[in-house]
Amino acid sequence: MTYVFKTADTPVGKLKLVANGQRLAAILWEHDKPDRVRLGPMTEDPDSVVLYETERQLREYFAGTRQQFDLELEFSGTEFQKQVWNALLTIPLGETRTYSDIAWQIGRPKAVRAVGAANGRNPISIIAPCHRVVGMSGALTGFAGGLPIKRKLLSLECGTPDLF
């Protein structure tokens, strides 16, 4: 597979946007662990149409004017991971789900820890909103971008964008 990337400056830091053909394959955090999302060799392409469109939609999201993304996505992972990541796409803006909720949704109610592990490897952060998944008590739990950014994203989605 041939991946291309561009770097986008956002209110939550520099994000590496990655595409494969006309599909978005990843949004990686500035200080992401190198092995959290495994893709393959990449070349920089700031003129990629899909990456330009991703950056545009992210700008609208951070400005509070976009509530839903409209991009073709390509998830690379196991079938179980893909089930979890697709379930993330169903969480409405401004709402949260627990790992248990996601496990039930995909028909694997005993796989709560595996759901957590898959959530942690979500390659398309923000758009596949892993930040909307919280612990059973409602507490914020791990997030590749860091808990302060998770808190900011949730606050933005609940109508308090002044945090940016």
Side-chain angles (χ1 to χ4, degrees):
M1 290 187 201
T2 303
Y3 293 100
V4 297
F5 76 92
K6 78 176 288 188
T7 303
D9 288 317
T10 75
V12 293
K14 290 184 185 297
L15 298 176
K16 183 184 248 184
L17 312 178
V18 183
N20 182 16
Q22 294 305 307
R23 295 177 179 269
L24 180 66
I27 295 179
L28 305 174
W29 299 95
E30 187 172 3
H31 301 291
D32 223 328
K33 293 179 183 175
D35 63 341
R36 186 181 72 80
V37 174
R38 296 178 190 168
L39 294 171
M42 297 179 211
T43 57
E44 189 166 10
D45 183 0
D47 299 319
S48 162
V49 173
V50 68
L51 298 180
Y52 175 83
E53 180 61 16
T54 300
E55 184 175 22
R56 185 185 71 77
Q57 290 189 29
L58 283 169
R59 275 195 312 270
E60 292 173 354
Y61 167 80
F62 287 118
T65 61
R66 176 170 288 275
Q67 296 186 358
Q68 192 169 0
F69 292 95
D70 183 24
L71 299 162
E72 293 290 323
L73 307 179
E74 178 181 287
F75 288 116
S76 288
T78 67
E79 287 308 309
F80 178 82
Q81 288 173 325
K82 290 176 187 178
Q83 284 182 315
V84 171
W85 300 333
N86 280 303
L88 298 175
L89 295 170
T90 69
I91 306 172
L93 185 85
E95 294 185 21
T96 59
R97 299 290 183 272
T98 66
Y99 298 102
S100 180
D101 292 335
I102 300 295
W104 277 95
Q105 181 178 343
I106 65 170
R108 303 278 303 272
K110 295 183 180 181
V112 176
R113 287 186 182 182
V115 164
N119 197 58
R121 291 199 174 270
N122 171 22
I124 308 177
S125 293
I126 302 171
I127 291 172
C130 51
H131 61 278
R132 296 181 192 155
V133 182
V134 298
M136 187 62 98
S137 68
L140 298 187
T141 55
F143 181 61
L147 291 183
I149 290 175
K150 182 173 187 166
R151 187 174 294 109
K152 285 181 179 183
L153 293 172
L154 291 172
S155 294
L156 170 71
E157 294 178 3
C158 290
T160 54
D162 55 303
L163 294 176
F164 284 102

